[in-house]
Amino acid sequence: MQDDNILKLAYELSETTRNKVDLIEKIMRQTQILALNARIEAARAGVSGAGFGVVAQEISHVSTRINQIAADFRVDVDQYAAQIQEAGTRMSSELRGQRFTDLSRNVVELIDRNLFERSCDVRWWATESALVALAENPEDQDLQSLACSRLATILRSYTVYLDLWVVDQNGKVIAQGRPETYPKALGSDVSSATWFRNAMATRHGDQFAVADIETNPSLDDAPTATYATAIRDKGETHVEPPHV
């Protein structure tokens, strides 16, 4: 990642600079030794070596000054490198935090959109003519077959659902979309289920009921989030719910 590269470059810059400063200091120590030897030889030479002794003295002063500059430079580099690393670490943490925040927000938005779409689905299908007809005539075998066929067609297009049911006023499942997969569902009694009672209590077709995730025996004990709404007379949205 880019922020990790910045930290790596800052560390490498700091190490390279330290190494170069070490090399400069080593050279300057050698220069000081040479200057000292030159001054000794100049002293032995007497008057004829006096000028050379002055040059050796100046070289010693210069090397000392360069050593001081190198030492100061080392301190500055260490300080700036530490600040760069600290800033890079903080930036890396902030960027990661922002990325995680964005990912979390996207996940929440996806979940929220998905749940809203499920509520739209169930309210829309409650107006489907085949389901309305069966709810009005729950004993009609032909209408039951037609409703099951329509539910199966819907399930082939929507992969998020385990099964779709039509339930009569008494809480009996009278149609489903996957009888081969979940044979225990058809004819089962869901009258005690909270989602059924809440769906039957809705006041108009824009309302719906949803249950917390729980295992469903009729769906092979699969964890299930159930959405339900009432199927109203002639599919109208603002009439009393005779069926769900």
Side-chain angles (χ1 to χ4, degrees):
M1 294 183 293
Q2 188 66 30
D3 45 349
D4 291 333
N5 290 335
I6 292 174
L7 290 175
K8 182 180 178 182
L9 288 172
Y11 176 78
E12 290 177 351
L13 174 62
S14 177
E15 285 299 302
T16 300
T17 303
R18 290 191 187 100
N19 292 335
K20 297 303 181 183
V21 171
D22 287 342
L23 183 58
I24 291 172
E25 290 176 336
K26 181 178 179 181
I27 293 172
M28 288 301 99
R29 284 194 296 270
Q30 293 174 342
T31 301
Q32 285 181 328
I33 292 172
L34 291 174
L36 178 60
N37 290 335
R39 289 165 61 191
I40 292 172
E41 293 300 323
R44 288 177 180 175
V47 176
S48 61
F52 188 67
V54 173
V55 174
Q57 180 69 30
E58 288 302 316
I59 291 174
S60 179
H61 288 329
V62 170
S63 64
T64 299
R65 179 58 180 156
I66 291 175
N67 271 336
Q68 184 59 51
I69 293 172
D72 293 342
F73 183 56
R74 181 199 297 274
V75 172
D76 291 341
V77 168
D78 287 344
Q79 290 178 347
Y80 291 138
Q83 292 176 13
I84 292 173
Q85 290 175 350
E86 180 183 354
T89 300
R90 185 170 59 252
M91 181 177 66
S92 176
S93 177
E94 290 173 353
L95 288 175
R96 285 194 178 95
Q98 185 60 48
R99 283 197 293 269
F100 288 142
T101 299
D102 292 341
L103 287 173
S104 300
R105 185 181 295 111
N106 289 337
V107 169
V108 170
E109 289 177 353
L110 286 173
I111 293 173
D112 182 66
R113 187 182 308 120
N114 186 276
L115 297 179
F116 175 72
E117 289 174 353
R118 303 294 72 79
S119 69
C120 292
D121 290 343
V122 72
R123 286 176 289 173
W124 169 36
W125 296 331
T127 65
E128 214 279 342
S129 58
L131 308 187
V132 173
L134 177 61
E136 293 173 344
N137 302 277
E139 303 300 328
D140 191 312
Q141 296 297 312
D142 292 335
L143 290 177
Q144 184 183 76
S145 298
L146 178 60
C148 289
S149 175
R150 290 294 301 132
L151 294 176
T153 299
I154 293 172
L155 286 171
R156 285 194 293 272
S157 301
Y158 292 82
T159 59
V160 297
Y161 297 104
L162 292 175
D163 202 0
L164 299 176
W165 298 346
V166 176
V167 182
D168 68 14
Q169 296 183 81
N170 300 316
K172 177 183 177 182
V173 178
I174 56 177
Q176 68 173 127
R178 290 189 173 131
E180 299 84 3
T181 306
Y182 304 109
K184 293 185 291 185
L186 194 63
S188 62
D189 183 3
V190 297
S191 59
S192 61
T194 302
W195 58 263
F196 172 77
R197 296 197 301 270
N198 289 343
M200 291 297 290
T202 55
R203 290 174 293 180
H204 52 78
D206 292 332
Q207 294 182 335
F208 63 95
V210 60
D212 290 336
I213 295 177
E214 58 185 2
T215 58
N216 191 314
S218 297
L219 300 174
D220 295 339
D221 289 324
T224 306
T226 303
Y227 285 79
T229 193
I231 298 176
R232 299 171 187 274
D233 188 30
K234 297 180 176 58
E236 298 293 335
T237 58
H238 295 283
V239 296
E240 290 299 316
H243 305 286
V244 64

